[in-house]
Amino acid sequence: MILKNANYIDVINGKVVTSVDIEIEDGKIVNIGQNLNGNDYIDCSSKLIVPAFTNAHTHMGMSMMRNYSDDLELQDWLEQKIWPFEAKLTKEDMYWGSKLSAIESVKNGVCAVVDMYDNVDATAKVCNEVGIKGILGKGLLDIDGRGADRLEAFKQNYNECNSEKTKVILAPHAIYTCSTEFLKECLMLSREYGNVLHIHVSETKREFDDCVNLHGMTPVEYLETIGYLDTKIIAAHCVYLTDKEIDMIADKEFYPVYNPVSNLKLASGFTPVKKILDAKINLGIGTDSSSSNNSLSVLKEIQVGAIVNKAINKSSSSVQANEILKLATINGSKITGFNNGAVEVGKEADLTFFDLNSINFTPKNDLIGAVCYSASSEDIRDVMIDGKFVMKDRVVLTADEEQIKYEVNRLTDRILRS
């Protein structure tokens, strides 16, 4: 397949390349040049091609809780609303909830997710059906005394679901839901299963202060004492990272994930994005769940994240458009390990196609700025993953959207009536 007359964003160098041909073979970009020949080609002169996004922190199975309980403090929201609702979820619920999240992700230009939830087998099945890639974290905690059972379930999930495109990992929920010994167990087990952990870190001031009061040290300092800085860590939120902690993680495989909309909505605070980027740390971006966001639009995260940091840092040149776009593309690929995140030869053909004829791209001045500041999800017309279109003209080709919405509404009604 050849994408003719293509315009694309080179996120690594922060520039737009225009009127070239991109050749795709066996799911990868094999050539970029002029006047390439082939039997199968698509005219892309009216599209802007952007590396498909990585949602580096989400909870796909929580879509049934979208708009269920808003305007509460995080701990109250979790304890009074979310955890009681989750206790009623069945495997069927989580399958359809995850499938809704998967098609929402595709319609928002996402090719890969880093997920944290319970039923990894349901999520893996959904990823394979819809065609998205996943780093699927088995959500783990032991405050209810069931930690050992969850670790055994993880092993089963890994053996049944781990693959090249759906990588199953351990995901201890947080330091306040996991005991020190359990966190150490997760770390030891991870050495047999991929050497990577996904965990919430310093999401709230309460979490930060409680850690200092209980352990006499900050969350990252505490994690270092139990060995967590000696392995690859995908660390969601990191709102209250201190300057000392940033120095501690700068040369580690510690990947913070910025969740601007969820952190704003839950009044969690502001991740020190500029300080993290200045320290040359690979920062990703995520949506968190559709129950706390309340959407899975990485594009919205890009836009809000860029604008908020200008206000925080009192500088309109702070965290510029291509910097924040990298979080969702090439930085995301470094977090997942998938060979995507850029339009270049050798990369997997995971691509998002924006409509250059839309109002949001008119006039065609700074196209990188347009993606970050004016584009909407409706401008994303097509999505390609591994060289195959999973969405064309806003229609997801790999799933029945109407059936999914019907099933999610039906199952949510059952839970609300129970």
Side-chain angles (χ1 to χ4, degrees):
M1 178 190 297
I2 297 178
L3 307 178
K4 300 288 289 185
N5 308 309
N7 313 287
Y8 72 87
I9 294 180
D10 175 354
V11 294
I12 295 174
N13 296 301
K15 65 180 183 179
V16 177
V17 179
T18 61
S19 301
V20 298
D21 298 343
I22 302 172
E23 184 177 2
I24 296 167
E25 186 177 306
D26 296 328
K28 290 187 176 182
I29 298 171
V30 296
N31 199 1
I32 299 176
Q34 301 286 342
N35 303 314
L36 301 182
N37 295 315
N39 296 323
D40 182 15
Y41 67 89
I42 299 171
D43 179 29
C44 294
S45 57
S46 64
K47 302 289 176 64
L48 175 66
I49 298 174
V50 179
F53 301 139
T54 293
N55 186 347
H57 176 67
T58 191
H59 308 274
M60 291 179 69
M62 295 183 73
S63 62
M64 292 172 69
M65 288 159 268
R66 190 200 316 268
N67 307 320
Y68 166 64
S69 179
D70 296 317
D71 305 326
L72 293 175
E73 298 297 327
L74 174 61
Q75 215 61 34
D76 293 337
W77 177 75
L78 286 171
E79 294 174 3
Q80 298 173 20
K81 296 293 183 178
I82 297 303
W83 289 344
F85 191 107
E86 287 179 321
K88 300 176 183 178
L89 291 175
T90 65
K91 183 173 288 191
E92 182 186 22
D93 297 331
M94 283 184 261
Y95 168 79
W96 287 107
S98 295
K99 201 156 192 179
L100 180 65
S101 293
I103 64 165
E104 183 180 358
S105 297
V106 168
K107 298 189 86 162
N108 281 286
V110 170
C111 67
V113 298
V114 180
D115 191 54
M116 178 193 288
Y117 214 53
D118 184 44
N119 265 41
V120 170
D121 50 349
T123 311
K125 182 180 179 183
V126 162
C127 288
N128 290 324
E129 289 174 348
V130 176
I132 64 174
K133 301 170 183 177
I135 304 298
L136 308 180
K138 171 72 171 179
L140 302 165
L141 52 87
D142 71 334
I143 55 172
D144 60 357
R146 294 177 50 225
D149 293 340
R150 291 188 176 94
L151 291 179
E152 287 304 311
F154 161 77
K155 294 175 187 177
Q156 181 176 346
N157 290 154
Y158 184 92
N159 291 332
E160 294 176 353
C161 305
N162 190 66
S163 70
E164 183 183 357
K165 302 298 183 183
T166 55
K167 301 176 184 178
V168 178
I169 65 171
L170 291 143
H173 176 263
I175 61 174
Y176 59 88
T177 52
C178 299
S179 67
T180 300
E181 287 307 311
F182 187 69
L183 288 170
K184 289 180 179 178
E185 283 186 72
C186 292
L187 175 62
M188 292 297 293
L189 192 59
S190 74
R191 291 169 181 162
E192 301 175 41
Y193 294 92
N195 280 306
V196 58
L197 295 166
H198 185 194
I199 184 172
H200 297 94
V201 176
S202 285
E203 182 176 2
T204 66
K205 189 66 163 61
R206 175 177 170 178
E207 176 191 339
F208 183 92
D209 290 343
D210 285 351
C211 184
V212 171
N213 292 332
L214 182 62
H215 301 290
M217 61 190 84
T218 65
V220 173
E221 291 172 334
Y222 168 66
L223 289 172
E224 182 188 40
T225 66
I226 57 177
Y228 269 52
L229 299 196
D230 297 326
T231 193
K232 180 176 178 179
I233 298 291
I234 304 171
H237 301 290
C238 294
V239 174
Y240 290 93
L241 282 186
T242 66
D243 291 350
K244 179 182 177 181
E245 289 177 320
I246 290 172
D247 288 341
M248 289 170 63
I249 66 174
D251 62 348
K252 304 294 185 182
E253 279 195 289
F254 190 103
Y255 296 92
V257 181
Y258 181 35
N259 299 265
V261 174
S262 177
N263 291 157
L264 285 168
K265 184 171 179 285
L266 292 171
S268 299
F270 304 100
T271 300
V273 170
K274 187 175 185 304
K275 289 183 177 181
I276 292 170
L277 294 177
D278 286 348
K280 308 300 183 186
I281 294 168
N282 191 91
L283 178 66
I285 198 165
T287 61
D288 210 355
S289 75
S290 52
S291 62
S292 64
N293 186 302
N294 294 0
S295 80
L296 300 181
S297 171
V298 172
L299 188 61
K300 182 168 71 172
E301 304 298 323
I302 290 169
Q303 293 169 342
V304 171
I307 292 169
V308 163
N309 278 281
K310 297 178 190 308
I312 293 168
N313 299 317
K314 297 181 173 60
S315 169
S316 58
S317 64
S318 181
V319 189
Q320 297 182 11
N322 197 64
E323 283 185 288
I324 200 87
L325 187 56
K326 282 183 177 179
L327 271 59
T329 53
I330 192 65
N331 286 18
S333 74
K334 292 174 182 176
I335 291 172
T336 63
F338 295 127
N339 182 29
N340 56 13
V343 182
E344 60 181 30
V345 173
K347 293 289 188 184
E348 293 165 358
D350 296 346
L351 308 171
T352 291
F353 297 72
F354 284 83
D355 180 8
L356 283 176
N357 290 328
S358 82
I359 289 174
N360 295 319
F361 282 89
T362 304
K364 299 175 183 63
N365 290 323
D366 177 1
L367 296 182
I368 298 176
V371 170
C372 284
Y373 300 123
S374 66
S376 75
S377 293
E378 290 299 314
D379 297 326
I380 298 171
R381 303 309 302 175
D382 314 312
V383 175
M384 173 184 286
I385 302 176
D386 289 326
K388 298 178 181 178
F389 283 104
V390 295
M391 183 175 79
K392 287 284 289 180
D393 295 323
R394 299 291 300 159
V395 176
V396 178
L397 306 177
T398 51
D400 185 334
E401 182 174 339
E402 293 306 313
Q403 180 192 18
I404 293 167
K405 291 188 291 188
Y406 171 82
E407 293 293 347
V408 169
N409 281 322
R410 176 180 69 84
L411 295 167
T412 303
D413 287 345
R414 187 206 80 237
I415 291 174
L416 294 177
R417 288 196 308 269
S418 64

